[in-house]
Amino acid sequence: MGVRHASTSVPTAAARARSLLTTAWSCAVTTEIGRDELVGAHSVTPEGILLLSPPPDSALATAMICAPRGEPSTLVEFADVAPVPVRDRIRARLWLSGSLVPDGEGFIFAPTCAVLHDSTGGRIGIDLDELALAAPDPLAEAESRLLTHLADAHEEAVEQLTKLVCADSLHGVVRVRPLAIDRYALTLRLEKARSQADVRLAFDEPVEDVTQVTERMHMLLTKARHLRRPLLRPTPPDA
């Protein structure tokens, strides 16, 4: 798919995984005993160490008691869910396999394998040392607020930004929504009647903190307004 301003810089798989660990509110944990859907039961230290605090009646807590050495083989799954409602809302999944070590009232997760999966890169194995050293994207914790504000309060700006996308890519598009934002680019979801595609609109320079987002977005919009292209106004399929 052609994009007028395609980003040559994208977050590494390790950085994406680190951002997901930081922002996810829930995770699924599977052991030999069973599977738990845990909400608000994990945290990540500044050093990237994953801590789990399951409820006493969970399968995970039982597995810790039944494991021969108290370190059951464990699979932890995180889902990266788009904050703005779109078709196929899961943007990526992160799987971590390893073991758990008791630590006070909770457990430290010691990973032996990490895999990130999304629709663009497929399944990517992540080096554990790289994951431990990776920092979350500077926009990770603000992303939900930034995208919902853009979608709800600046629909006309999203329409303007479609002028940065090659016209052929917009054929048959019925809705455009902001899907993701990171330090390098804003990603738009182009929805058609039976399919969708994502395009990245690169910032001129990477964002160092959330205070720079307004300036970068203004620069994208300025480029869009200077292009002599008709403005896309998506039409519902039944219109």
Side-chain angles (χ1 to χ4, degrees), residues 127-162:
D127 181 82
L128 295 178
D129 290 335
E130 185 179 355
L131 178 59
L133 294 173
D137 189 273
L139 301 184
E141 295 192 46
E143 184 188 34
S144 178
R145 171 174 56 83
L146 293 171
L147 292 180
T148 53
H149 178 72
L150 181 60
D152 296 342
H154 297 285
E155 185 177 356
E156 74 292 343
V158 176
E159 291 181 353
Q160 284 283 349
L161 290 172
T162 61

Side-chain angles (χ1 to χ4, degrees), residues 9-235:
S9 297
V10 297
T12 65
R16 292 188 59 197
R18 187 67 175 81
S19 296
L20 179 49
L21 286 173
T22 300
T23 58
W25 181 242
S26 64
C27 63
V29 182
T30 304
T31 65
E32 296 92 335
I33 299 296
R35 177 182 172 94
D36 291 305
E37 298 286 345
L38 302 180
V39 177
H42 78 276
S43 60
V44 182
T45 69
E47 296 75 27
I49 299 173
L50 176 62
L51 306 175
L52 295 173
S53 301
D57 60 349
S58 64
L60 178 55
T62 302
M64 292 299 296
I65 297 173
C66 297
R69 294 184 303 161
E71 300 179 7
S73 176
T74 305
L75 177 68
V76 186
E77 177 185 347
F78 295 87
D80 178 17
V81 183
V84 174
V86 291
R87 185 188 299 154
D88 294 339
R89 200 165 178 176
I90 304 268
R91 301 182 297 190
R93 292 186 187 275
L94 173 66
W95 289 278
L96 302 172
S97 60
S99 59
L100 292 171
V101 179
D103 180 54
E105 296 183 358
F107 308 103
I108 296 175
F109 181 74
T112 56
C113 179
V115 176
L116 183 72
H117 178 268
D118 64 19
S119 59
T120 57
R123 286 182 172 85
I124 304 171
I126 303 173
D127 181 82
L128 295 178
D129 290 335
E130 185 179 355
L131 178 59
L133 294 173
D137 189 273
L139 301 184
E141 295 192 46
E143 184 188 34
S144 178
R145 171 174 56 83
L146 293 171
L147 292 180
T148 53
H149 178 72
L150 181 60
D152 296 342
H154 297 285
E155 185 177 356
E156 74 292 343
V158 176
E159 291 181 353
Q160 284 283 349
L161 290 172
T162 61
K163 294 170 69 177
L164 298 174
V165 181
C166 288
D168 290 347
S169 300
L170 297 174
H171 181 70
V173 171
V174 298
R175 188 171 75 154
V176 179
R177 303 284 274 170
L179 178 71
I181 189 170
D182 56 58
R183 65 180 308 184
Y184 300 110
L186 170 72
T187 300
L188 299 181
R189 167 65 57 86
L190 309 179
E191 294 187 349
K192 300 183 180 183
R194 294 181 177 83
S195 64
Q196 62 274 334
D198 303 333
V199 293
R200 284 174 63 84
L201 305 180
F203 300 135
D204 285 348
E205 296 181 8
V207 171
E208 298 301 328
D209 60 62
V210 71
T211 63
Q212 298 176 341
V213 172
T214 299
E215 178 188 356
R216 300 296 192 273
M217 290 296 299
H218 177 73
M219 295 174 72
L220 282 180
L221 286 167
T222 298
K223 290 180 180 180
R225 293 183 179 117
H226 286 170
L227 289 177
R228 294 185 176 181
R229 289 184 178 183
L231 185 65
L232 173 71
R233 297 194 181 279
T235 304

